[in-house]
Amino acid sequence: MDEKQGWVMDTEDRWSSVDNQQLIHHIVEAQEEYRRRMARELHDEVGQSLAAALVQVETLEALLHDSPQVKPHLTRLRATLERLHEEVQRVVLDLRPTLLEQKGLMGALAWYAQERLGSQGVTVHLSGSLCAAGLPDKVCLALYRIGQEAISNVVRHAAARNVWLDLRCADATLVLSVRDDGRGFDVERVANTDQPLKGVGLVGIRERAKMLDGEATIVSASGAGALVEVRIPYTTANCAP
């Protein structure tokens, strides 16, 4: 990216007012509450209903195993329900990332990247240190959401072949970067669009970083891929070499 001409996203003018900053802050908080509620509903209602339906189909298969006309339909129905159940579980993990507790920040981001990008034929390159170990939950969650948004943007818009995901410590700063070799975009145009919601994902990245006293830089240009880099102050004592 260093040799490619790009625009560094600077939305300071558009979002500098107190009202706009508070609006984005509330949007970020509302997103988290919505995700928590949807995860509960999907797990407690949809997930359990699908599990119960699977049990009923398996019971029917046992009762009608001698019916050659019915059995193929039940087999296809069971396969469909199993796929739906797996998809619901994936969405629940996406909305409520328990993997943060199980695998830590880098492990959770690696899982998400492989889930979203691997299925699209995109090669994911992972690098980083163990410097994120022991971070407060709110910091891990914010960085995970930033990584999610950056990866989702690649899936939706980039048509990339490769994505580089890096988490490291440098100069008492925790640095998360997501880079792709896709089609890129005009950052200045997105930052100054007359449709504010169109760029709210990128603004949300910046706002999440700001809430942690950090900063987000987004660099891209048409045909030159994109780079999302977030830098969060982090004590040297907690940064593993």
Side-chain angles (χ1 to χ4, degrees), residues 112-133:
Y112 186 78
Q114 293 291 353
E115 281 288 309
R116 294 300 308 275
L117 298 169
S119 62
Q120 303 294 320
V122 180
T123 301
V124 180
H125 307 270
L126 302 171
S127 60
S129 68
L130 298 177
C131 62

Side-chain angles (χ1 to χ4, degrees), residues 1 4-6 180-185 219-227:
M1 293 293 296
K4 298 176 181 178
Q5 183 177 5
D180 70 75
D181 61 357
R183 61 168 59 101
F185 61 98
V219 182
S220 186
S222 180
L227 168 68

Side-chain angles (χ1 to χ4, degrees), residues 56-192:
Q56 293 175 353
V57 170
E58 290 170 357
T59 300
L60 287 173
E61 284 182 317
L63 292 172
L64 301 172
H65 67 280
D66 291 330
S67 177
Q69 293 181 332
V70 176
K71 187 176 180 180
H73 297 288
L74 289 176
T75 300
R76 288 194 293 271
L77 177 58
R78 176 167 52 82
T80 299
L81 289 172
E82 287 174 346
R83 286 195 300 271
L84 286 173
H85 190 259
E86 290 174 359
E87 181 64 17
V88 167
Q89 295 304 311
R90 186 194 67 77
V91 173
V92 168
L93 281 175
D94 188 357
L95 293 170
R96 187 179 60 195
T98 55
L99 286 178
L100 278 174
E101 299 176 2
Q102 299 170 0
K103 294 189 175 183
L105 178 58
M106 192 62 185
L109 284 172
W111 172 85
Y112 186 78
Q114 293 291 353
E115 281 288 309
R116 294 300 308 275
L117 298 169
S119 62
Q120 303 294 320
V122 180
T123 301
V124 180
H125 307 270
L126 302 171
S127 60
S129 68
L130 298 177
C131 62
L135 284 174
D137 290 345
K138 70 174 185 178
V139 176
C140 280
L141 181 58
L143 289 173
Y144 180 76
R145 295 303 189 200
I146 288 170
Q148 271 189 314
E149 183 63 36
I151 291 166
S152 295
N153 284 338
V154 174
V155 174
R156 291 193 296 262
H157 307 299
R161 294 184 177 179
N162 295 275
V163 168
W164 291 265
L165 175 62
D166 181 58
L167 181 65
R168 67 187 186 279
C169 283
D171 300 325
T173 301
L174 185 62
V175 182
L176 171 65
S177 66
V178 179
R179 180 169 63 90
D180 70 75
D181 61 357
R183 61 168 59 101
F185 61 98
D186 188 333
V187 180
E188 185 177 71
R189 181 177 59 81
V190 172
N192 294 290

Side-chain angles (χ1 to χ4, degrees), residues 38-54 81 84-86 88-89 92:
M38 288 300 299
R40 286 194 301 269
E41 292 179 0
L42 283 171
H43 180 270
D44 296 342
E45 297 179 18
V46 180
Q48 292 185 10
S49 295
L50 285 171
L54 276 168
L81 289 172
L84 286 173
H85 190 259
E86 290 174 359
V88 167
Q89 295 304 311
V92 168

Side-chain angles (χ1 to χ4, degrees), residues 210-221:
K210 189 174 181 180
M211 289 166 64
L212 298 175
D213 297 323
E215 61 180 7
T217 301
I218 301 173
V219 182
S220 186

